Amino acid sequence: MSEHKTIDVAATQMLDKAKEIGFLTTFDRAKAQEPRCTFGNTGICCRICLQGPCRILPKKPGGNKGICGAMDYTIVARNTVRYIAGGAAAHSDHGREIAQTVLHVAEGKLKDYEITDTKKLTAVAKKLGVATEGRDVLAVAKDVATLALQEFAETDETKELTWIKADCPDDMLDVFRKTTIMPAGINLSLAKLLHQTHAGNDSDPVNIIFGGLKAALCDYDGMALATDLSDILFGTGVPVVTEANLGAIKADKVNIALHGHNPLLSQMVVKAAKEMQAEAKAAGAQGINLVGICCTGNEVLMREGVAIATNFATQELAVLTGAMDAMVVDVQCIMPSLRSLADCFHTKIITTMPIMKIPGSYHFAFDEEHALDSAKEIIRIAIDAYKNRDVAKVSIPDVKHSVVAGFSLESMMSIFAKINPENPIRVLVDAIEAGEIKGVALFAGCNNLKGTHDENHFTIATELAKQDVFLVGTGCAAQCFAKEGLLNGEGVKKYAGEGLKKLYARLNAAAGLTAELPLVFHMGSCVDNSRAQQLAVALGKEMGLEYRDVPYVATAPEAMSEKAVSIGSWNVAMGNPTHVGVVAPTVGSQLVNDVVTKIAEDVFGGFFFWETDPVKASARLVEILEERNWKNAMRKKARDAKAEAN
Ligand code: NFS
Ligand code: SF4
């Protein structure tokens, strides 16, 4: 076992290099933060007003409450839902920007973008109730984008969000309404939550949590519209074959990393790079090589087959290869440390968005009206930087795996349709009903250096595969699988149980793809968790189950960001048992912890559970799926017996 807290061989090599040359990385900084403050770690530190920080100190007279009298449960509940507000704001603002761009395209204001996927546009319009018959594509796109923007602008509390209504089954919507968590406007709900959790406002932990869940549903809404509109704008993912890990960086090419979340610029960089290979060659390189990091990487992987360099925790290591000429970043999950690291190399860190700048790094204000020109200028900066590359500093780990990705729900269904053209989802349901597979598990979320990088992702995925669970993934979890060789047919051979292998044999025989299907179906970026939820909904519908009985679980084995908290929270509200592999910010209050881990199940069907040990977490996830299958079988038996008696 290496001294570094990662299971990634390429990362280990780079961390050795960092040590040799005396660079401190995020791995060192994580160590420096130990031991953690228990108050902060368990959520019982309040900094909501300037009298704080207040901690819960039960042994001191008066210390069992904050200065204002806030109890542990109020403090924990407020802190937790404020994470949700942050996550939902990030996801939905990303969605809003895409919607704005679609609107501008529809109005003929942007020359570099177009409506690429008219089939998806029609499907989205239909689900939202927008007329399509005999109408111009741009007119339909305008209506859809306008509806999306209205999700943010709505201030009438009696109006319900359109995307949620279109995407969720009726029994689920009924629960949202009964528990008063059905949101109206996104901006309204997020502002309300900040208001609700202001000092001296709501102190009822259950009421605060319900406010948080409303915001979590806004998170879903924002990401669902981000997914739909990105597909409309750039195309819906189809299976692609590429590669992943630091070995995807090429010594003889101009390397540009696309990092962040929003595909508006990165799609243009992909387009521009195709046109600019000659310029790179003129500078002495063999061409331009694009690689992705974090969810921008996932977006361009899904649609363009761009290779993955690495995931969140190891983003610095891409620079450390010495062969990264430019890293183009947009928003979210970008470490501020990148700039100082880049200073030691020739690498240009290029920030591009008005709300994401790094002191001292190069800022190139992305201009959507001249998007392609912006992308070209950025590539020229990279080509110039390449000329300054110091070959003596280059060391690229010879580590990479082949990757089959690009599984939008549509592309998954078109593979299933090769077996059952009338009813593609039936293929998965048949496998569940035959007991070949136990159900579906979604892997989502980040890296968290409180644990070992990628270890929880890898262990839980391979354990569940052995236990015949069908796996889908997004975000940095999916990138771990890409780097570790689980996104190819070899992964199936190595890790799938017998039942799962049988399903794959049928799928591979029918799919007619050049490459075998991967152990985990990579469904995209974190906003694409909406795709996975639609898979759960489709399963429930076809199996004739209530939303809360579907054999579907979610896990965020290495959750880090506020966005992960909001994704987990809507998963729970939407009936999904949800595992988190790090110490949760709710454990400081028994009451709040019980609400989210136990009472949530009675109300919503979904619940959280925390387990840092990946083997134990896997066992529990399998147990939950088995429980759901058993209950469903018993209910069916009872129904059949009743029908026979009548
Ligand atoms: Ni999701 Fe994607 Fe990764 Fe976590 Fe960050 S990139 S949006 S937040 S760290 S999975
Ligand atoms: Fe302390 Fe209350 Fe202020 Fe929180 S809101 S910091 S508990 S006084």
Side-chain angles (χ1 to χ4, degrees):
M1 182 70 193
S2 126
E3 59 174 309
H4 307 299
K5 280 178 78 178
T6 177
I7 61 159
D8 181 336
V9 185
T12 303
Q13 287 180 25
M14 282 297 101
L15 289 169
D16 283 340
K17 177 177 176 182
K19 198 176 171 195
E20 231 174 79
I21 52 185
F23 271 135
L24 297 181
T25 67
T26 184
F27 287 79
D28 303 292
R29 297 192 296 271
K31 224 183 279 165
Q33 289 298 333
E34 297 298 340
R36 304 299 173 116
C37 158
T38 315
F39 299 104
N41 217 16
T42 57
I44 47 169
C45 168
C46 184
R47 293 193 306 105
I48 276 177
C49 89
L50 302 186
Q51 294 196 88
C54 292
R55 296 149 301 159
I56 297 297
L57 307 154
K59 285 186 190 135
K60 287 190 181 170
N64 65 336
K65 297 182 178 119
I67 295 173
C68 66
M71 298 285 289
D72 57 354
Y73 49 66
T74 301
I75 293 174
V76 168
R78 282 197 304 219
N79 286 342
T80 306
V81 302
R82 282 193 163 211
Y83 280 136
I84 299 177
H91 279 143
S92 62
D93 195 40
H94 163 174
R96 190 192 53 74
E97 280 174 0
I98 309 270
Q100 197 86 53
T101 303
V102 173
L103 180 68
H104 291 162
V105 172
E107 290 172 344
K109 289 183 186 158
L110 300 178
K111 60 178 176 17
D112 296 337
Y113 298 94
E114 58 187 357
I115 302 300
T116 302
D117 193 340
T118 51
K119 205 169 146 202
K120 180 91 183 206
L121 174 65
T122 307
V124 173
K126 283 210 171 114
K127 85 171 178 185
L128 301 175
V130 171
T132 53
E133 272 302 302
R135 294 185 72 203
D136 181 54
V137 166
L138 292 184
V140 177
K142 186 170 179 182
D143 284 356
V144 168
T146 306
L147 273 180
L149 292 168
Q150 186 58 24
E151 302 283 75
F152 297 86
E154 190 58 66
T155 54
D156 180 345
E157 292 186 51
T158 63
K159 296 257 173 75
E160 296 178 338
L161 286 179
T162 309
W163 250 265
I164 291 252
K165 261 199 304 194
D167 279 0
C168 298
D170 289 338
D171 56 344
M172 191 190 281
L173 291 172
D174 281 345
V175 174
F176 294 165
R177 289 180 188 121
K178 276 191 199 126
T179 53
T180 70
I181 66 166
M182 185 73 186
I186 294 176
N187 292 359
L188 172 71
S189 304
L190 300 187
K192 249 275 170 266
L193 184 59
L194 292 179
H195 179 187
Q196 185 176 1
T197 53
H198 188 276
N201 217 15
D202 202 351
S203 61
D204 175 345
V206 177
N207 205 41
I208 292 170
I209 290 169
F210 277 46
L213 289 175
K214 190 184 264 193
L217 294 184
C218 293
D219 182 74
Y220 174 85
D221 201 84
M223 69 169 65
L225 67 89
T227 298
D228 283 344
L229 294 175
S230 299
D231 283 353
I232 289 168
L233 205 51
F234 301 122
T236 305
V238 292
V240 289
V241 179
T242 180
E243 54 191 27
N245 215 331
L246 293 174
I249 297 169
K250 305 272 183 281
D252 56 356
K253 291 193 174 174
V254 174
N255 291 300
I256 304 174
L258 303 169
H259 179 14
H261 285 78
N262 190 325
L264 286 175
L265 171 61
S266 51
Q267 277 286 145
M268 287 296 130
V269 175
V270 175
K271 197 171 171 188
K274 286 179 193 150
E275 298 172 15
M276 294 176 71
Q277 297 292 339
E279 275 186 51
K281 285 184 183 152
Q286 291 301 308
I288 298 166
N289 180 45
L290 300 178
V291 292
I293 300 177
C294 287
C295 284
T296 290
N298 286 325
E299 298 276 352
V300 288
L301 164 78
M302 286 287 280
R303 300 194 178 89
E304 307 287 346
V306 169
I308 287 172
T310 196
N311 55 359
F312 173 73
T314 37
Q315 55 186 277
E316 294 166 320
L317 307 184
V319 175
L320 214 64
T321 60
M324 191 52 71
D325 301 299
M327 197 181 268
V328 187
V329 303
D330 47 79
V331 287
Q332 303 167 21
C333 302
I334 298 145
M335 289 189 195
S337 60
L338 285 172
R339 207 266 314 165
S340 46
L341 183 58
D343 280 354
C344 305
F345 296 90
H346 68 297
T347 312
K348 286 272 182 285
I349 306 292
I350 306 171
T351 59
T352 56
M353 296 292 165
I355 59 160
M356 194 347 241
K357 298 183 179 182
I358 302 175
S361 84
Y362 185 82
H363 187 73
F364 187 97
F366 167 62
D367 164 12
E368 129 187 297
E369 277 175 36
H370 305 99
L372 194 59
D373 288 340
S374 298
K376 284 183 181 164
E377 277 189 57
I378 284 170
I379 292 178
R380 277 190 198 111
I381 295 169
I383 294 174
D384 270 348
Y386 167 82
K387 295 178 194 155
N388 298 327
R389 193 194 285 176
D390 179 352
V391 287
K393 285 187 182 171
V394 173
S395 54
I396 304 169
D398 185 19
V399 180
K400 61 184 182 189
H401 282 283
S402 74
V403 166
V404 183
F407 297 102
S408 56
L409 192 54
E410 290 85 344
S411 75
M412 262 168 95
M413 289 307 134
S414 62
I415 290 170
F416 295 168
K418 299 272 173 56
I419 296 177
N420 189 335
E422 255 76 75
N423 191 4
I425 189 70
R426 192 72 224 166
V427 173
L428 215 47
V429 173
D430 282 342
I432 295 171
E433 288 176 352
E436 262 177 5
I437 59 171
K438 295 191 170 81
V440 177
L442 161 69
F443 283 73
C446 329
N447 293 131
N448 186 322
L449 290 184
K450 282 181 176 170
T452 296
H453 169 235
D454 283 349
E455 181 178 57
N456 278 3
H457 289 313
F458 184 85
T459 311
I460 300 175
T462 49
E463 287 288 319
L464 292 190
K466 269 182 227 155
Q467 296 283 332
D468 298 313
V469 178
F470 186 85
L471 309 177
V472 298
T474 58
C476 290
Q479 292 186 317
C480 159
F481 304 145
K483 290 185 301 153
E484 297 300 327
L486 301 186
L487 297 195
N488 56 40
E490 279 306 301
V492 177
K493 287 184 193 109
K494 269 197 207 154
Y495 300 108
E498 288 314 309
L500 189 56
K501 272 189 184 143
K502 279 188 204 156
L503 171 62
Y504 271 96
R506 285 200 300 281
L507 286 173
N508 277 322
L513 296 176
T514 50
E516 287 183 337
L517 291 166
L519 184 67
V520 188
F521 283 71
H522 186 326
M523 297 191 85
S525 67
C526 291
V527 295
D528 295 332
N529 282 307
S530 58
R531 300 188 202 274
Q533 179 55 26
Q534 287 312 301
L535 175 63
V537 169
L539 275 179
K541 217 179 196 179
E542 181 58 27
M543 295 176 84
L545 297 173
E546 282 183 33
Y547 80 90
R548 57 203 295 151
D549 297 329
V550 181
Y552 177 95
V553 289
T555 166
E558 303 179 20
M560 173 278 297
S561 73
E562 293 174 307
K563 293 176 285 172
V565 183
S566 51
I567 293 170
S569 302
W570 63 250
N571 263 283
V572 167
M574 293 187 179
N576 307 326
T578 301
H579 164 247
V580 177
V582 293
V583 176
T586 54
V587 295
S589 156
Q590 182 79 48
L591 190 150
V592 173
N593 205 51
D594 283 352
V595 169
V596 300
T597 58
K598 297 192 182 106
I599 299 175
E601 186 175 12
D602 300 333
V603 182
F604 298 106
F607 57 91
F608 276 116
F609 76 97
W610 330 122
E611 180 53 70
T612 52
D613 178 327
V615 175
K616 284 187 193 156
S618 312
R620 180 76 186 112
L621 286 164
V622 169
E623 198 178 80
I624 291 167
L625 287 174
E626 283 172 341
E627 260 169 40
R628 283 198 168 185
N629 286 330
W630 183 83
K631 279 189 195 156
N632 291 335
M634 286 303 121
R635 286 194 198 102
K636 182 170 184 299
K637 225 179 186 177
R639 272 198 311 274
D640 290 351
K642 204 169 155 196
E644 210 169 297
N646 286 337

